[in-house]
Amino acid sequence: MHAKCLADYEGDGSCPVCRYQPKPIEENSNICLTCGLNQSLFMCLICGFVGCGRNGQFHIGAHFAESQHIFAVEIESKIVWDLSTNNQVHRLVSNKEDGKLIEIQGEDHNEKKNTQNMIEIEFMCVLFNQLDDQRKISEQKIRDKKDKAANDQLKKQQEINTLSNHLNDLLKEIELIKINKTKIELKINQAKKSLKSISKENNEIIVGNNILNRDETSIHQQIDKELIKKQKNQLVIQSLQDKINNLFTQLETENSTNNNN
């Protein structure tokens, strides 16, 4: 971009070099555009941003860190500073009234032209250096974004691999669960068959116990009848025994009587 083209540039308020968009600058506003401080002010020579210096909160330094615009002029002293090295730049000539680059008065036409050419060359060098710095910054940002994208992609790929491995483990566990489920179902069926057989045997045992209980009752009844019959027989035997004893007694008595006679 030539100096005349730059002087005739009427854009949207963005920097014609790097397209940095500063905050709107009010006319005759001598305050920091960030904190509102009205002293120790610097103006960016690239985009016109006004910020406070080290006596304030150093917002001109924050602007440099954000945009990498190197040169700024101290509004009160009209001294140009290189913010990257924090040194004064004495080779630029500015007008005390409006701060613009000017031709040195009192020189002949050739000297004025040479001075203007030198200023334009100086400006073009500064502009070239600034553009080169912006290119490096942009390339670095692109590299950083690419590195970040590559790292993000690597992390995502690692997450995908981890999830894939986890999914495979889950699928294996599911297969094992299916196999165990089949085995468990077989065992349950066997247990059901065993339970059915046991239930059948239990029913048979219950029926047998009922039969035994009925037979036991019948046997007890027969035993009771036999006991009663035995008791009756014992009574009969006792009666017969008594009769026999009486007969023996009577016989003995008769024998004794006959012997006496």
Side-chain angles (χ1 to χ4, degrees), residues 207-223:
V207 172
N209 286 333
N210 291 332
I211 293 171
L212 289 175
N213 289 331
R214 287 197 299 270
D215 292 343
E216 184 180 3
T217 302
S218 177
I219 290 169
H220 280 300
Q221 290 175 356
Q222 290 178 0
I223 290 172

mmCIF file with all atom_site columns, all heavy atoms in Angstrom, residues 207-223:
data_model
loop_
_atom_site.group_PDB
_atom_site.id
_atom_site.type_symbol
_atom_site.label_atom_id
_atom_site.label_alt_id
_atom_site.label_comp_id
_atom_site.label_asym_id
_atom_site.label_entity_id
_atom_site.label_seq_id
_atom_site.pdbx_PDB_ins_code
_atom_site.Cartn_x
_atom_site.Cartn_y
_atom_site.Cartn_z
_atom_site.occupancy
_atom_site.B_iso_or_equiv
_atom_site.pdbx_formal_charge
_atom_site.auth_seq_id
_atom_site.auth_comp_id
_atom_site.auth_asym_id
_atom_site.auth_atom_id
_atom_site.pdbx_PDB_model_num
ATOM 1   N N   . VAL A 1 207 ? -49.479 -89.823  50.113 1.00 0.00 ? 207 VAL A N   1
ATOM 2   C CA  . VAL A 1 207 ? -50.519 -90.853  49.958 1.00 0.00 ? 207 VAL A CA  1
ATOM 3   C C   . VAL A 1 207 ? -50.179 -92.074  50.805 1.00 0.00 ? 207 VAL A C   1
ATOM 4   O O   . VAL A 1 207 ? -51.035 -92.656  51.497 1.00 0.00 ? 207 VAL A O   1
ATOM 5   C CB  . VAL A 1 207 ? -50.659 -91.229  48.464 1.00 0.00 ? 207 VAL A CB  1
ATOM 6   C CG1 . VAL A 1 207 ? -51.588 -92.433  48.312 1.00 0.00 ? 207 VAL A CG1 1
ATOM 7   C CG2 . VAL A 1 207 ? -51.189 -90.046  47.663 1.00 0.00 ? 207 VAL A CG2 1
ATOM 8   N N   . GLY A 1 208 ? -48.883 -92.518  50.756 1.00 0.00 ? 208 GLY A N   1
ATOM 9   C CA  . GLY A 1 208 ? -48.463 -93.654  51.572 1.00 0.00 ? 208 GLY A CA  1
ATOM 10  C C   . GLY A 1 208 ? -48.653 -93.388  53.045 1.00 0.00 ? 208 GLY A C   1
ATOM 11  O O   . GLY A 1 208 ? -49.093 -94.271  53.805 1.00 0.00 ? 208 GLY A O   1
ATOM 12  N N   . ASN A 1 209 ? -48.336 -92.183  53.492 1.00 0.00 ? 209 ASN A N   1
ATOM 13  C CA  . ASN A 1 209 ? -48.524 -91.843  54.906 1.00 0.00 ? 209 ASN A CA  1
ATOM 14  C C   . ASN A 1 209 ? -49.994 -91.885  55.281 1.00 0.00 ? 209 ASN A C   1
ATOM 15  O O   . ASN A 1 209 ? -50.366 -92.338  56.395 1.00 0.00 ? 209 ASN A O   1
ATOM 16  C CB  . ASN A 1 209 ? -47.953 -90.448  55.185 1.00 0.00 ? 209 ASN A CB  1
ATOM 17  C CG  . ASN A 1 209 ? -46.441 -90.440  55.217 1.00 0.00 ? 209 ASN A CG  1
ATOM 18  O OD1 . ASN A 1 209 ? -45.822 -91.468  55.522 1.00 0.00 ? 209 ASN A OD1 1
ATOM 19  N ND2 . ASN A 1 209 ? -45.838 -89.302  54.901 1.00 0.00 ? 209 ASN A ND2 1
ATOM 20  N N   . ASN A 1 210 ? -50.847 -91.411  54.370 1.00 0.00 ? 210 ASN A N   1
ATOM 21  C CA  . ASN A 1 210 ? -52.282 -91.461  54.657 1.00 0.00 ? 210 ASN A CA  1
ATOM 22  C C   . ASN A 1 210 ? -52.750 -92.911  54.804 1.00 0.00 ? 210 ASN A C   1
ATOM 23  O O   . ASN A 1 210 ? -53.541 -93.242  55.705 1.00 0.00 ? 210 ASN A O   1
ATOM 24  C CB  . ASN A 1 210 ? -53.064 -90.762  53.546 1.00 0.00 ? 210 ASN A CB  1
ATOM 25  C CG  . ASN A 1 210 ? -52.823 -89.261  53.544 1.00 0.00 ? 210 ASN A CG  1
ATOM 26  O OD1 . ASN A 1 210 ? -52.535 -88.676  54.601 1.00 0.00 ? 210 ASN A OD1 1
ATOM 27  N ND2 . ASN A 1 210 ? -52.932 -88.632  52.390 1.00 0.00 ? 210 ASN A ND2 1
ATOM 28  N N   . ILE A 1 211 ? -52.238 -93.748  53.854 1.00 0.00 ? 211 ILE A N   1
ATOM 29  C CA  . ILE A 1 211 ? -52.610 -95.183  53.935 1.00 0.00 ? 211 ILE A CA  1
ATOM 30  C C   . ILE A 1 211 ? -52.111 -95.785  55.241 1.00 0.00 ? 211 ILE A C   1
ATOM 31  O O   . ILE A 1 211 ? -52.829 -96.523  55.937 1.00 0.00 ? 211 ILE A O   1
ATOM 32  C CB  . ILE A 1 211 ? -52.053 -95.940  52.723 1.00 0.00 ? 211 ILE A CB  1
ATOM 33  C CG1 . ILE A 1 211 ? -52.757 -95.457  51.443 1.00 0.00 ? 211 ILE A CG1 1
ATOM 34  C CG2 . ILE A 1 211 ? -52.240 -97.441  52.890 1.00 0.00 ? 211 ILE A CG2 1
ATOM 35  C CD1 . ILE A 1 211 ? -52.132 -95.990  50.171 1.00 0.00 ? 211 ILE A CD1 1
ATOM 36  N N   . LEU A 1 212 ? -50.849 -95.466  55.599 1.00 0.00 ? 212 LEU A N   1
ATOM 37  C CA  . LEU A 1 212 ? -50.281 -95.978  56.850 1.00 0.00 ? 212 LEU A CA  1
ATOM 38  C C   . LEU A 1 212 ? -51.068 -95.478  58.057 1.00 0.00 ? 212 LEU A C   1
ATOM 39  O O   . LEU A 1 212 ? -51.285 -96.219  59.033 1.00 0.00 ? 212 LEU A O   1
ATOM 40  C CB  . LEU A 1 212 ? -48.813 -95.572  56.964 1.00 0.00 ? 212 LEU A CB  1
ATOM 41  C CG  . LEU A 1 212 ? -47.848 -96.275  56.008 1.00 0.00 ? 212 LEU A CG  1
ATOM 42  C CD1 . LEU A 1 212 ? -46.446 -95.679  56.152 1.00 0.00 ? 212 LEU A CD1 1
ATOM 43  C CD2 . LEU A 1 212 ? -47.808 -97.774  56.288 1.00 0.00 ? 212 LEU A CD2 1
ATOM 44  N N   . ASN A 1 213 ? -51.462 -94.226  57.985 1.00 0.00 ? 213 ASN A N   1
ATOM 45  C CA  . ASN A 1 213 ? -52.258 -93.679  59.100 1.00 0.00 ? 213 ASN A CA  1
ATOM 46  C C   . ASN A 1 213 ? -53.578 -94.426  59.234 1.00 0.00 ? 213 ASN A C   1
ATOM 47  O O   . ASN A 1 213 ? -54.027 -94.738  60.349 1.00 0.00 ? 213 ASN A O   1
ATOM 48  C CB  . ASN A 1 213 ? -52.497 -92.179  58.886 1.00 0.00 ? 213 ASN A CB  1
ATOM 49  C CG  . ASN A 1 213 ? -51.237 -91.360  59.088 1.00 0.00 ? 213 ASN A CG  1
ATOM 50  O OD1 . ASN A 1 213 ? -50.364 -91.767  59.866 1.00 0.00 ? 213 ASN A OD1 1
ATOM 51  N ND2 . ASN A 1 213 ? -51.133 -90.241  58.400 1.00 0.00 ? 213 ASN A ND2 1
ATOM 52  N N   . ARG A 1 214 ? -54.228 -94.712  58.065 1.00 0.00 ? 214 ARG A N   1
ATOM 53  C CA  . ARG A 1 214 ? -55.491 -95.467  58.137 1.00 0.00 ? 214 ARG A CA  1
ATOM 54  C C   . ARG A 1 214 ? -55.242 -96.879  58.659 1.00 0.00 ? 214 ARG A C   1
ATOM 55  O O   . ARG A 1 214 ? -55.985 -97.389  59.502 1.00 0.00 ? 214 ARG A O   1
ATOM 56  C CB  . ARG A 1 214 ? -56.133 -95.525  56.748 1.00 0.00 ? 214 ARG A CB  1
ATOM 57  C CG  . ARG A 1 214 ? -56.737 -94.190  56.301 1.00 0.00 ? 214 ARG A CG  1
ATOM 58  C CD  . ARG A 1 214 ? -57.709 -94.385  55.154 1.00 0.00 ? 214 ARG A CD  1
ATOM 59  N NE  . ARG A 1 214 ? -57.060 -94.964  53.976 1.00 0.00 ? 214 ARG A NE  1
ATOM 60  C CZ  . ARG A 1 214 ? -56.497 -94.245  53.005 1.00 0.00 ? 214 ARG A CZ  1
ATOM 61  N NH1 . ARG A 1 214 ? -56.491 -92.923  53.084 1.00 0.00 ? 214 ARG A NH1 1
ATOM 62  N NH2 . ARG A 1 214 ? -55.959 -94.855  51.961 1.00 0.00 ? 214 ARG A NH2 1
ATOM 63  N N   . ASP A 1 215 ? -54.172 -97.548  58.152 1.00 0.00 ? 215 ASP A N   1
ATOM 64  C CA  . ASP A 1 215 ? -53.856 -98.898  58.633 1.00 0.00 ? 215 ASP A CA  1
ATOM 65  C C   . ASP A 1 215 ? -53.516 -98.881  60.113 1.00 0.00 ? 215 ASP A C   1
ATOM 66  O O   . ASP A 1 215 ? -53.890 -99.793  60.871 1.00 0.00 ? 215 ASP A O   1
ATOM 67  C CB  . ASP A 1 215 ? -52.671 -99.463  57.841 1.00 0.00 ? 215 ASP A CB  1
ATOM 68  C CG  . ASP A 1 215 ? -53.044 -99.734  56.383 1.00 0.00 ? 215 ASP A CG  1
ATOM 69  O OD1 . ASP A 1 215 ? -54.242 -99.799  56.090 1.00 0.00 ? 215 ASP A OD1 1
ATOM 70  O OD2 . ASP A 1 215 ? -52.114 -99.836  55.537 1.00 0.00 ? 215 ASP A OD2 1
ATOM 71  N N   . GLU A 1 216 ? -52.802 -97.846  60.545 1.00 0.00 ? 216 GLU A N   1
ATOM 72  C CA  . GLU A 1 216 ? -52.444 -97.754  61.962 1.00 0.00 ? 216 GLU A CA  1
ATOM 73  C C   . GLU A 1 216 ? -53.695 -97.623  62.820 1.00 0.00 ? 216 GLU A C   1
ATOM 74  O O   . GLU A 1 216 ? -53.826 -98.235  63.889 1.00 0.00 ? 216 GLU A O   1
ATOM 75  C CB  . GLU A 1 216 ? -51.505 -96.563  62.178 1.00 0.00 ? 216 GLU A CB  1
ATOM 76  C CG  . GLU A 1 216 ? -51.000 -96.446  63.603 1.00 0.00 ? 216 GLU A CG  1
ATOM 77  C CD  . GLU A 1 216 ? -50.074 -95.261  63.772 1.00 0.00 ? 216 GLU A CD  1
ATOM 78  O OE1 . GLU A 1 216 ? -49.872 -94.513  62.792 1.00 0.00 ? 216 GLU A OE1 1
ATOM 79  O OE2 . GLU A 1 216 ? -49.538 -95.076  64.887 1.00 0.00 ? 216 GLU A OE2 1
ATOM 80  N N   . THR A 1 217 ? -54.649 -96.826  62.346 1.00 0.00 ? 217 THR A N   1
ATOM 81  C CA  . THR A 1 217 ? -55.903 -96.664  63.087 1.00 0.00 ? 217 THR A CA  1
ATOM 82  C C   . THR A 1 217 ? -56.643 -98.013  63.171 1.00 0.00 ? 217 THR A C   1
ATOM 83  O O   . THR A 1 217 ? -57.167 -98.405  64.236 1.00 0.00 ? 217 THR A O   1
ATOM 84  C CB  . THR A 1 217 ? -56.784 -95.617  62.399 1.00 0.00 ? 217 THR A CB  1
ATOM 85  O OG1 . THR A 1 217 ? -56.071 -94.375  62.321 1.00 0.00 ? 217 THR A OG1 1
ATOM 86  C CG2 . THR A 1 217 ? -58.069 -95.414  63.179 1.00 0.00 ? 217 THR A CG2 1
ATOM 87  N N   . SER A 1 218 ? -56.671 -98.703  62.004 1.00 0.00 ? 218 SER A N   1
ATOM 88  C CA  . SER A 1 218 ? -57.339 -100.012 61.990 1.00 0.00 ? 218 SER A CA  1
ATOM 89  C C   . SER A 1 218 ? -56.643 -101.000 62.913 1.00 0.00 ? 218 SER A C   1
ATOM 90  O O   . SER A 1 218 ? -57.283 -101.765 63.658 1.00 0.00 ? 218 SER A O   1
ATOM 91  C CB  . SER A 1 218 ? -57.369 -100.547 60.563 1.00 0.00 ? 218 SER A CB  1
ATOM 92  O OG  . SER A 1 218 ? -57.935 -101.837 60.510 1.00 0.00 ? 218 SER A OG  1
ATOM 93  N N   . ILE A 1 219 ? -55.318 -100.981 62.888 1.00 0.00 ? 219 ILE A N   1
ATOM 94  C CA  . ILE A 1 219 ? -54.553 -101.887 63.780 1.00 0.00 ? 219 ILE A CA  1
ATOM 95  C C   . ILE A 1 219 ? -54.816 -101.567 65.232 1.00 0.00 ? 219 ILE A C   1
ATOM 96  O O   . ILE A 1 219 ? -54.996 -102.471 66.069 1.00 0.00 ? 219 ILE A O   1
ATOM 97  C CB  . ILE A 1 219 ? -53.048 -101.790 63.439 1.00 0.00 ? 219 ILE A CB  1
ATOM 98  C CG1 . ILE A 1 219 ? -52.778 -102.426 62.075 1.00 0.00 ? 219 ILE A CG1 1
ATOM 99  C CG2 . ILE A 1 219 ? -52.200 -102.468 64.508 1.00 0.00 ? 219 ILE A CG2 1
ATOM 100 C CD1 . ILE A 1 219 ? -51.393 -102.150 61.532 1.00 0.00 ? 219 ILE A CD1 1
ATOM 101 N N   . HIS A 1 220 ? -54.815 -100.256 65.551 1.00 0.00 ? 220 HIS A N   1
ATOM 102 C CA  . HIS A 1 220 ? -55.103 -99.871  66.940 1.00 0.00 ? 220 HIS A CA  1
ATOM 103 C C   . HIS A 1 220 ? -56.496 -100.350 67.354 1.00 0.00 ? 220 HIS A C   1
ATOM 104 O O   . HIS A 1 220 ? -56.701 -100.811 68.498 1.00 0.00 ? 220 HIS A O   1
ATOM 105 C CB  . HIS A 1 220 ? -54.995 -98.343  67.091 1.00 0.00 ? 220 HIS A CB  1
ATOM 106 C CG  . HIS A 1 220 ? -53.578 -97.853  67.221 1.00 0.00 ? 220 HIS A CG  1
ATOM 107 N ND1 . HIS A 1 220 ? -52.724 -98.236  68.236 1.00 0.00 ? 220 HIS A ND1 1
ATOM 108 C CD2 . HIS A 1 220 ? -52.842 -97.010  66.431 1.00 0.00 ? 220 HIS A CD2 1
ATOM 109 C CE1 . HIS A 1 220 ? -51.561 -97.658  68.100 1.00 0.00 ? 220 HIS A CE1 1
ATOM 110 N NE2 . HIS A 1 220 ? -51.603 -96.895  66.986 1.00 0.00 ? 220 HIS A NE2 1
ATOM 111 N N   . GLN A 1 221 ? -57.437 -100.209 66.445 1.00 0.00 ? 221 GLN A N   1
ATOM 112 C CA  . GLN A 1 221 ? -58.793 -100.691 66.754 1.00 0.00 ? 221 GLN A CA  1
ATOM 113 C C   . GLN A 1 221 ? -58.792 -102.209 66.978 1.00 0.00 ? 221 GLN A C   1
ATOM 114 O O   . GLN A 1 221 ? -59.425 -102.718 67.933 1.00 0.00 ? 221 GLN A O   1
ATOM 115 C CB  . GLN A 1 221 ? -59.747 -100.336 65.618 1.00 0.00 ? 221 GLN A CB  1
ATOM 116 C CG  . GLN A 1 221 ? -60.043 -98.846  65.527 1.00 0.00 ? 221 GLN A CG  1
ATOM 117 C CD  . GLN A 1 221 ? -60.893 -98.495  64.325 1.00 0.00 ? 221 GLN A CD  1
ATOM 118 O OE1 . GLN A 1 221 ? -61.207 -99.381  63.512 1.00 0.00 ? 221 GLN A OE1 1
ATOM 119 N NE2 . GLN A 1 221 ? -61.287 -97.224  64.230 1.00 0.00 ? 221 GLN A NE2 1
ATOM 120 N N   . GLN A 1 222 ? -58.083 -102.977 66.123 1.00 0.00 ? 222 GLN A N   1
ATOM 121 C CA  . GLN A 1 222 ? -58.001 -104.424 66.300 1.00 0.00 ? 222 GLN A CA  1
ATOM 122 C C   . GLN A 1 222 ? -57.311 -104.768 67.610 1.00 0.00 ? 222 GLN A C   1
ATOM 123 O O   . GLN A 1 222 ? -57.724 -105.720 68.331 1.00 0.00 ? 222 GLN A O   1
ATOM 124 C CB  . GLN A 1 222 ? -57.249 -105.057 65.119 1.00 0.00 ? 222 GLN A CB  1
ATOM 125 C CG  . GLN A 1 222 ? -58.036 -105.015 63.815 1.00 0.00 ? 222 GLN A CG  1
ATOM 126 C CD  . GLN A 1 222 ? -57.250 -105.606 62.658 1.00 0.00 ? 222 GLN A CD  1
ATOM 127 O OE1 . GLN A 1 222 ? -56.108 -106.048 62.845 1.00 0.00 ? 222 GLN A OE1 1
ATOM 128 N NE2 . GLN A 1 222 ? -57.863 -105.614 61.478 1.00 0.00 ? 222 GLN A NE2 1
ATOM 129 N N   . ILE A 1 223 ? -56.231 -104.011 67.925 1.00 0.00 ? 223 ILE A N   1
ATOM 130 C CA  . ILE A 1 223 ? -55.530 -104.264 69.202 1.00 0.00 ? 223 ILE A CA  1
ATOM 131 C C   . ILE A 1 223 ? -56.466 -104.027 70.377 1.00 0.00 ? 223 ILE A C   1
ATOM 132 O O   . ILE A 1 223 ? -56.491 -104.800 71.355 1.00 0.00 ? 223 ILE A O   1
ATOM 133 C CB  . ILE A 1 223 ? -54.282 -103.377 69.279 1.00 0.00 ? 223 ILE A CB  1
ATOM 134 C CG1 . ILE A 1 223 ? -53.231 -103.846 68.271 1.00 0.00 ? 223 ILE A CG1 1
ATOM 135 C CG2 . ILE A 1 223 ? -53.697 -103.373 70.688 1.00 0.00 ? 223 ILE A CG2 1
ATOM 136 C CD1 . ILE A 1 223 ? -52.051 -102.933 68.127 1.00 0.00 ? 223 ILE A CD1 1
#
